[in-house]
Amino acid sequence: MGEPRPAIAEIQTPMLRIHFTDADLARTSVAAGADPMWELVLSLHRLQNRRGRTLVDCWYASARERLASTGLTPDVKNRLIPIAPQSMYFPDFLTPDEGRHGFEAAVEAIEGLPRKELDAQLGIVATMGDGLGAWARSLADGDRRARRELAESLRDYRRVALEPFWNDLHADVDADRVRRSRDVLNGGVHGLLHGFEPLMRWEQPVLSVVYPGGEDIDLYLRGRGLRLIPSYFCWKYPVALADPELPPVLVYPMHNGVYRTRKENLLSSGEERILGNLLGATRAAALTAVADGVTTNELAARLHISPAAASHHTRVLRESGLIVSTRDRNHVLHTLTTAGAELLGAGRRG
């Protein structure tokens, strides 16, 4: 989906160069799941303009409708978008490290941010574009009521715009984690980092990332390691924190190469259709095999069928909302969705 991404060497844009030591390689990891605040902020970016929107179409229309029907659209426009602009900079405080412990932990960290840091980061936003609106200026001035309103707006936006889609989003994250796990098994952390090509280029000890902006950036990890965070709403280029002293993270887009043919609401309302599509022992065996994460050729070999037959079965499972398929270089990797895992679990219990 989307336009083909050229090789890094062909793009004449500034680079983010991440410098590793041996200690950093040992401490590099892929996040266990989607980060709630990164997804929230990057989803706001998808609402602001058309860039990358075709990749999240199944979310975009329904999210806008739900925001409008619940009366939250003004809050999004007047509170959230002004402090999370689609630009080269948005405040680090919106994506705190506490997000790894869950959404509420992140919100509490935002509410407890020292006023000096809040003012400094919003001050940068104020110098860009249309600047800050009246509410955002009161937030920068340390108004406690504005802080409570920010927390309320973040919770409301997540509940209305993101939670209905969260299971689908996590299915894509799980598919990406299977792919990264295979890279680690095949080549350790070097295999993991090489596996991001052409999105990034690993030439030990530097990971080079296309990073549009005014100039090249060098990030020295200094033994802290790097946490790689897959993101559904990240578009085209990876994103890092602006402050190099914060715990290093690199958020990367995971949706390119993901095949989706299911309807958004099928997972909750189409049980009868799903079961109808699954009639037959071979397809049930295919679903069981996909639980381990398999390519089309691996599935064919495991079930002793042709690759064409395996491809047909995965297409039906995908259209039923039970699996997600991801292009992994020369292969297509199949993994379960939440609905697929639940159905498989129910079958095993039965």
Side-chain angles (χ1 to χ4, degrees):
M1 294 186 291
E3 297 180 357
R5 181 180 291 108
I8 283 180
E10 299 172 0
I11 304 176
Q12 301 302 314
T13 57
M15 305 291 291
L16 168 64
R17 294 185 293 261
I18 304 175
H19 299 260
F20 288 73
T21 64
D22 288 343
D24 294 312
L25 291 172
R27 294 175 181 173
T28 291
S29 63
V30 177
D35 185 286
M37 286 309 302
W38 278 104
E39 294 303 320
L40 188 153
V41 171
L42 294 172
S43 72
L44 288 169
H45 291 175
R46 302 286 72 79
L47 287 176
Q48 291 178 49
N49 57 55
R50 295 183 178 277
R51 288 181 291 181
R53 187 175 295 171
T54 56
L55 297 170
V56 296
D57 267 348
C58 60
W59 166 81
Y60 175 76
S62 58
R64 283 199 60 176
E65 180 179 341
R66 287 193 295 267
L67 289 169
S69 65
T70 55
L72 289 177
T73 300
D75 268 5
V76 173
K77 289 184 176 180
N78 299 325
R79 293 182 182 177
L80 300 183
I81 286 179
I83 64 173
Q86 168 69 49
S87 65
M88 286 309 301
Y89 176 84
F90 58 87
D92 286 336
F93 75 77
L94 287 174
T95 53
D97 188 59
E98 287 82 358
R100 69 169 71 199
H101 303 303
F103 177 72
E104 283 301 324
V107 172
E108 289 176 11
I110 293 171
E111 288 185 285
L113 187 74
R115 178 179 173 181
K116 182 178 180 181
E117 294 181 33
L118 182 72
D119 182 65
Q121 293 182 37
L122 289 178
I124 298 174
V125 177
T127 65
M128 301 157 37
D130 298 328
L132 296 174
W135 179 86
R137 286 195 298 272
S138 69
L139 179 65
D141 289 339
D143 187 319
R144 291 191 176 185
R145 178 179 177 182
R147 287 222 190 187
R148 290 193 298 270
E149 290 173 342
L150 172 59
E152 179 184 346
S153 294
L154 292 172
R155 291 187 177 100
D156 287 344
Y157 177 80
R158 173 179 166 81
R159 173 177 54 82
V160 172
L162 295 180
E163 283 187 356
F165 190 70
W166 204 249
N167 282 343
D168 271 9
L169 186 153
H170 261 290
D172 286 354
V173 172
D174 289 343
D176 185 84
R177 281 181 57 81
V178 170
R179 172 181 175 178
R180 305 305 165 194
S181 297
R182 291 164 72 97
D183 288 338
V184 171
L185 288 173
N186 291 331
V189 69
H190 297 285
L192 170 66
L193 296 176
H194 277 302
F196 286 102
E197 295 179 354
L199 183 64
M200 318 173 202
R201 184 177 63 231
W202 172 240
E203 294 180 344
Q204 191 176 2
V206 178
L207 182 66
S208 299
V209 184
V210 174
Y211 213 73
E215 57 187 15
D216 290 345
I217 301 172
D218 287 282
L219 173 61
Y220 293 89
L221 299 179
R222 306 194 309 273
R224 296 173 293 171
L226 180 68
R227 191 161 69 102
L228 295 150
I229 304 176
S231 170
Y232 179 85
F233 291 104
C234 185
W235 175 71
K236 197 171 184 179
Y237 302 115
V239 184
L241 294 167
D243 185 349
E245 298 305 314
L246 292 172
V249 300
L250 187 67
V251 180
Y252 62 90
M254 65 180 180
H255 41 53
N256 282 4
V258 176
Y259 296 87
R260 283 194 172 279
T261 53
R262 67 186 187 272
K263 298 296 184 181
E264 180 182 5
N265 293 326
L266 182 60
L267 299 183
S268 59
S269 64
E271 183 179 0
E272 291 182 3
R273 192 181 318 174
I274 289 172
L275 293 174
N277 283 336
L278 285 176
L279 291 177
T282 301
R283 198 162 295 150
L287 184 66
T288 301
V290 169
D292 298 325
V294 293
T295 66
T296 303
N297 287 338
E298 289 169 347
L299 180 62
R302 188 174 299 188
L303 300 184
H304 304 289
I305 59 178
S306 69
S311 180
H312 169 72
H313 288 305
T314 57
R315 177 181 61 79
V316 174
L317 293 171
R318 187 167 56 248
E319 289 176 348
S320 301
L322 299 176
I323 72 170
V324 62
S325 304
T326 309
R327 171 66 64 178
D328 183 8
R329 293 179 286 279
N330 297 324
H331 306 284
V332 175
L333 182 65
H334 309 287
T335 55
L336 293 177
T337 64
T338 301
E342 290 177 350
L343 186 60
L344 185 60
R348 286 170 173 168
R349 290 191 299 272

